[in-house]
Amino acid sequence: MNVQVNAAVAGLRAALDAYREQVVLGNAAPGFSAALQRAGNVEGYTTPGELSLLYHLAVAADGPGRIVEIGSYLGRSTVVLATAVADTGREPVVAIDPHTAALMIEGLPPRDTRAEFLANLEQAGVREHVELVHDYSVKAAAGWDGAPIRLHFVDGWHSREAVLEDVGAWAQWFTPDAVAVFDDYLTSDGVRQAVRELQADGILRRDGLVVGKMAAFGPPHLLARAPAAPGGRALMRLGDDRRERLIKLAER
């Protein structure tokens, strides 16, 4: 009986996730479809709905500054961000990754992903819109030229310590209207803990939005321009304790 109940619950969750994804994609801007098509052949773990979040925020964050991506892997998210800057005539995306493929995913053999990353950018036609920094985040920050940052996408190691570094090393260059996006926010305790600490320190805004497993934090008027599924905005209006309880309940 428990097996049947668990299977039914899993089916309901899958159906709800599919519905939420359809809502997000159904409200996407026309330009996103080309971005998604370009990224479609790139191996990765980011869903179309999450890619929609990145695209729309990259377009919405139209003030001065660069887009910095921490952790590019094979370029699935990079292609979408690069398409957004191409569509808006902005500076290239700064993609920072040591390309060691150290993803902490069991069963994946290590490999140097740099050549595949660059080949994927070429195939997608966005190579000129990406500036690769082949290094670790903190080392890259030490050599940063001081340009302001308008969008910061964090998708490196998901430990609390790593996320704190991936934001803390760069936050001095965030513009007043900067948006920070975190992959695996809903699935990683370390990411959520780091975000809470960064918010307590005043580095990140508390205004937020969840799409898929990602969360974005920034000015409400920019977050409002990204399509979201029901509950994606309401969840982030809850206090930290209530939000954490709901997230843990959904994991069961």
Side-chain angles (χ1 to χ4, degrees):
M1 185 68 173
N2 286 338
V3 173
Q4 293 176 328
V5 170
N6 289 339
V9 170
L12 287 172
R13 284 180 175 171
L16 179 59
D17 287 344
Y19 166 72
R20 291 168 62 83
E21 183 99 338
Q22 287 176 0
V23 171
V24 170
L25 298 180
N27 289 288
F32 173 64
S33 98
L36 183 60
Q37 185 175 11
R38 287 174 173 169
N41 293 325
V42 181
E43 177 187 337
Y45 303 93
T46 311
T47 68
E50 293 161 355
L51 293 173
S52 166
L53 176 67
L54 293 175
Y55 178 87
H56 287 86
L57 290 179
V59 172
D62 54 2
R66 305 292 297 272
I67 293 177
V68 173
E69 176 183 63
I70 308 296
S72 302
Y73 188 41
L74 298 179
R76 186 171 170 85
S77 56
T78 320
V79 167
V80 168
L81 291 170
T83 302
V85 300
D87 288 349
T88 52
R90 298 302 302 269
E91 306 92 332
V93 175
V94 180
I96 300 168
D97 197 308
H99 287 289
T100 58
L103 299 176
M104 295 182 67
I105 299 176
E106 186 177 353
L108 279 186
R111 73 182 196 263
D112 183 347
T113 55
R114 183 176 183 274
E116 292 176 79
F117 171 74
L118 293 174
N120 286 334
L121 297 184
E122 291 285 357
Q123 184 175 7
V126 296
R127 179 66 185 91
E128 65 182 298
H129 300 290
V130 178
E131 177 185 332
L132 168 61
V133 178
H134 190 192
D135 209 338
Y136 292 91
S137 169
V138 174
K139 289 184 179 180
W144 187 244
D145 63 6
I149 296 171
R150 62 189 174 97
L151 176 62
H152 195 63
F153 175 41
V154 180
D155 189 17
W157 291 104
H158 290 342
S159 69
R160 165 188 167 272
E161 294 77 12
V163 174
L164 289 175
E165 287 185 343
D166 287 342
V167 176
W170 294 90
Q172 61 184 303
W173 297 295
F174 286 5
T175 66
D177 281 346
V179 178
V181 186
F182 298 84
D183 191 29
D184 288 331
Y185 174 84
L186 288 187
T187 57
S188 172
D189 293 341
V191 174
R192 293 196 304 278
Q193 178 60 39
V195 167
R196 288 194 294 270
E197 292 182 36
L198 291 163
Q199 289 173 327
D201 290 341
I203 295 173
L204 291 182
R205 290 176 178 258
R206 292 192 176 273
D207 302 294
L209 166 66
V210 167
V211 174
K213 62 186 183 299
M214 282 187 188
F217 300 89
H221 72 280
L222 296 182
L223 299 180
R225 293 172 62 182
R233 304 185 196 279
L235 177 65
M236 304 309 281
R237 297 192 192 106
L238 301 176
D240 290 339
D241 291 342
R242 290 183 64 194
R243 185 187 312 120
E244 192 66 21
R245 286 197 296 271
L246 279 176
I247 292 171
K248 289 296 186 183
L249 182 63
E251 291 175 351
R252 296 178 183 176

